Amino acid sequence: MALLVRSLGRGCLMRHQPLFHPRQNAMASSAYDEMKGYWDKNRKLQRPMSPFLFAYKPHLAMLTSLSHRVTGVAMSVAITGTSCILLALPGDFTTYFDMVKDMSIPAAVIIGFKYLLAWPMTYHYINGFRHLAWDAGKGYDIKTLYKTGYFAIATSFLAASVFVFMF
Amino acid sequence: MSASTHWKVERVLMLSMVPVLPAALFIQSPVIDHLMTSVVFLHGFWGMEGVLTDYLYKFAPWLKQLWYTISIIAFAGLVNFNYNDVGICKAVSMLWSL
């Protein structure tokens, strides 16, 4: 009986082997090679980029996600750049601060710069809570997503205004 | 460090930033200065690392060496600023007094 089952099984496998063989050969290359081939072919045939980003109607989740990355990158670049420049400059912070102070820059420009510094911080901080909640597996429901999204945008501008005018 | 451990370390860092950032508004001390620069720098460094991995490292792998070099210099600059200059919290409050 065992011999019968085994020989039948082997027969089945043998019959399938020609089907499996070519696929196994194609999968011998790494995933990265496969992707490279795909992109090369797309370039050669001049296909449009896929996913074609402008085909999507912009929505809130897209906006909040993108601005989270943009504010994060901007702040990281600003901090890294400022730190490197201050390290390279010969004077100390107070010297340059006094120089800027003596320029007597108009109040409107100062307010603008304060918003430029404060808003990315408040937005990234508040929207960061949404990301932490998602990491904990909560808040994925579409209604909640929109509610927290609008809340993050509104409170970030409110908090930035508090920093600009009340601190 | 495995990727999942790294992910957890990043989340712990983010959670630690939640109280540290508001604290820096009200407490001015060298401890807060160093705590601030360390957590903010590390979060920014790993955040940028993620962005660069997503978009740029596959086209220009040498950017990794460049980003690490710049980051080391920048962190040295932040530590130096806290030790030998006014410190990050005082610097921001000075800017805000303009």
Side-chain angles (χ1 to χ4, degrees):
Chain A
M1 186 64 202
L3 194 68
L4 184 68
V5 169
R6 211 180 297 157
S7 58
L8 270 176
R10 197 175 294 155
C12 284
L13 276 177
M14 294 274 238
R15 247 191 292 136
H16 281 103
Q17 250 175 5
L19 270 177
F20 282 123
H21 241 69
R23 261 192 239 165
Q24 271 170 349
N25 278 346
M27 281 165 75
S29 62
S30 74
Y32 221 89
D33 289 338
E34 296 259 314
M35 278 198 306
K36 200 178 169 296
Y38 169 79
W39 287 112
D40 285 345
K41 193 176 171 188
N42 271 9
R43 226 167 281 134
K44 207 175 72 195
L45 296 174
Q46 296 191 311
R47 286 169 170 166
M49 187 176 71
S50 173
F52 186 60
L53 290 175
F54 301 106
Y56 295 104
K57 190 181 163 208
H59 51 80
L60 189 73
M62 216 158 137
L63 177 79
T64 52
S65 170
L66 186 68
S67 43
H68 195 78
R69 276 219 146 164
V70 170
T71 50
V73 167
M75 284 190 291
S76 188
V77 168
I79 291 167
T80 311
T82 312
S83 175
C84 287
I85 290 168
L86 277 173
L87 193 64
L89 285 175
D92 63 348
F93 183 78
T94 318
T95 317
Y96 299 111
F97 174 75
D98 287 337
M99 272 165 67
V100 174
K101 206 176 177 182
D102 289 341
M103 285 198 279
S104 52
I105 301 162
V109 179
I110 296 277
I111 288 170
F113 270 105
K114 279 185 185 174
Y115 263 111
L116 220 57
L117 290 178
W119 180 74
M121 186 71 234
T122 54
Y123 176 76
H124 201 89
Y125 186 85
I126 295 165
N127 200 50
F129 285 100
R130 294 174 81 216
H131 279 268
L132 282 173
W134 293 331
D135 291 340
K138 294 191 183 80
Y140 282 107
D141 166 51
I142 288 290
K143 254 190 174 167
T144 317
L145 210 81
Y146 271 82
K147 231 188 278 174
T148 55
Y150 284 123
F151 177 79
I153 293 170
T155 47
S156 72
F157 279 106
L158 204 72
S161 302
V162 168
F163 281 130
V164 171
F165 292 107
M166 290 166 77
F167 267 82
Chain B
M1 188 169 15
S2 70
S4 64
T5 313
H6 184 262
W7 190 85
K8 279 177 204 149
V9 171
E10 270 195 88
R11 302 310 118 165
V12 170
L13 176 71
M14 288 173 202
L15 284 172
S16 77
M17 288 173 84
V18 172
V20 167
L21 299 193
L25 284 174
F26 304 106
I27 310 163
Q28 271 192 10
S29 86
V31 177
I32 290 285
D33 279 345
H34 284 291
L35 209 58
M36 264 285 279
T37 49
S38 303
V39 293
V40 169
F41 171 82
L42 208 53
H43 180 65
F45 173 71
W46 278 333
M48 280 290 280
E49 183 84 343
V51 171
L52 289 170
T53 307
D54 281 353
Y55 309 130
L56 289 176
Y57 282 165
K58 54 188 151 195
F59 303 114
W62 51 268
L63 278 174
K64 193 170 180 124
Q65 277 93 321
L66 182 71
W67 174 238
Y68 274 57
T69 310
I70 292 173
S71 294
I72 290 167
I73 296 168
F75 188 64
L78 288 173
V79 173
N80 177 61
F81 190 76
N82 286 339
Y83 267 117
N84 301 322
D85 214 322
V86 289
I88 191 79
C89 295
K90 179 82 183 135
V92 173
S93 76
M94 276 165 83
L95 276 180
W96 232 250
S97 71
L98 277 173

